[in-house]
Amino acid sequence: MNKPFKTSRFFTFEDHESNARGYCRSFEKVFVKAKGSSVWDEEGNRYIDFLSCCGALNYGHNDEHMKAGLIDHISRDGIASGLDLYTDVKRDFIDAFYRLVLAPRNLDYKLQFTGPTGANAVEAALKLARKVTKRTNVITFTNGFHGVTSGALAATGNRYNRMAPSIPLTGVTRLPYDGYMGDGISAADLYVKMLEDPSGGIDPPAAVIFETVQGEGGLNIASAGWCQRIVAAAHRAGALVIVDDIQAGCGRTGTFFSFETLGFTPDIVTLSKSLSGFGLPMSLVLIAPEYDVWSPAEHNGTFRGNSHAFVTARIALEKYWGGSGFEEAIAVKAEIVTNALTETARNLPQARLKGRGLMQGLDVGTRALASAISKRCFDQRLIIETAGPYDEVIKVLCPLTIEVDQLEEGLGIVRNAALELSGELSFA
Ligand SMILES: *Cc1c(COP(=O)(O)O)cnc(C)c1O
């Protein structure tokens, strides 16, 4: 890639860090400090964070309680790394997850701690479904994003990611996600017909995997009706249903799991990103007990169970999901986002609202406009990224804990940037 010449403060990165680096190109500052929904650069400028590490910081940066718990754990020489040995902090996390998340929702899952990335949880989920069913084919959907290791990448739709030289990405059949075909054409009809027609050409699937809101794919949402038809047909075909809740889970859509309001229960769920609460790497696969057919250490890994993450994850559950009022607070903020984006959209000819909960955005029609808005926002000290097949969606992914003032300030920056730029670009 051609780099413009500059006498830059970023030469350490530009000279020595791989070209694979990404986000730093859009938000070119050196960041040194973060608290709540704010981030500071080296020059002392404060930014509002509408990126939240792509949903890994749902509770904001450096939460006081999690920080104190972690410091205490380290000070008392608590276990830092323990493979998958039994530890006090793992026990406390499991107990809290069961008591505060699973039991109140009448959910029954075994917990598998995989390697700490989301992709590893997806790999484990796919491998397990294939082991259970003794089949290889997996049904995935347009615009789905599940990670970039080979198995997860096969399930991912994005061509840019998929074209990175790899072994052939096989073992999946891709079908249209809800709404993909536009209004009036049911993607679920096509799916059911193709799956159930003996000559539909789809090998019997081990699993169906999807996000209920597509985080990287452009904030497309699956309706309850679509999900229920997909799930019922999957089960009729003898396939397991995997929900990838790595981005949409941990409260992002307004409830702990994104599927809680959709009228179905997955057989397997993947969680990562905000699970640790503090931005520490941690992943979890939830498995309906009858499908927990792993042999000991069959899907292993050195860093299964990050002890520091167990500490902060447990505190996050107790603090935010133990009491009441958190879901209501998310709903209030989600409505503020909907209203602000609706108003912004009114002034942009092709703009459409996307997403739900605190996972909403605006499809502004073109990559050029979306990236110009993101850049203008960054100049105005708001960090906000784009998503979607053409990067045409401005994606509001603020911490769930953001103060209303700061949320409104950030949404104002988006609105002004969109207004100014839509005017400028249409005259260009
Ligand atoms: C981020 C993400 C992944 C991959 O997680 P990594 O930690 O980047 O490997 C998988 N699925 C979804 C829905 C994601 O948003």
Side-chain angles (χ1 to χ4, degrees), residues 22 36 38 80 88 118 183 214 225 241 264 319 324-325 328 351 410:
S38 300
D88 55 348
D183 294 340
Q214 295 184 319
V241 172
F264 74 98
K319 177 168 176 179
S324 59
E328 290 77 3

Side-chain angles (χ1 to χ4, degrees), residues 28-198:
E28 212 178 25
K29 290 283 176 182
V30 177
F31 297 99
V32 294
K33 179 182 151 153
K35 186 74 179 170
S37 303
S38 300
V39 183
W40 283 264
D41 71 17
E42 228 169 20
E43 294 140 63
N45 300 308
R46 184 180 72 106
Y47 298 80
I48 299 174
D49 188 0
F50 273 14
L51 175 60
S52 305
C53 274
C54 291
L57 287 166
N58 282 2
Y59 314 104
H61 296 266
N62 288 311
D63 175 276
E64 278 306 309
H65 294 93
M66 296 180 217
K67 185 171 82 177
L70 184 56
I71 290 172
D72 177 62
H73 176 81
I74 293 170
S75 311
R76 68 173 177 81
D77 291 325
I79 301 288
S81 201
L83 300 168
D84 69 345
L85 294 171
Y86 294 147
T87 60
D88 55 348
V89 288
K90 177 152 84 171
R91 179 174 53 207
D92 293 347
F93 170 78
I94 294 174
D95 284 342
F97 193 82
Y98 184 78
R99 186 167 48 85
L100 301 173
V101 176
L102 296 182
R105 292 167 181 77
N106 269 320
L107 293 169
D108 188 15
Y109 289 116
K110 291 291 187 83
L111 279 61
Q112 181 191 1
F113 299 103
T114 62
T117 63
N120 197 257
V122 170
E123 296 290 348
L126 296 175
K127 195 193 280 183
L128 180 63
R130 286 171 170 142
K131 182 171 185 191
V132 168
T133 58
K134 301 184 178 67
R135 299 172 174 178
T136 56
N137 190 28
V138 168
I139 293 185
T140 65
F141 294 91
T142 49
N143 283 308
F145 181 84
H146 302 288
V148 295
T149 52
S150 297
L153 185 59
T156 291
N158 185 288
R159 187 179 294 155
Y160 180 76
N161 294 137
R162 290 174 59 82
M163 290 307 285
S166 177
I167 55 167
L169 300 172
T170 56
V172 309
T173 302
R174 196 172 321 276
L175 289 173
Y177 190 73
D178 196 8
Y180 184 73
M181 309 295 291
D183 294 340
I185 300 176
S186 165
D189 284 347
L190 179 68
Y191 159 96
V192 174
K193 173 80 183 168
M194 286 183 71
L195 192 59
E196 298 190 342
D197 178 354

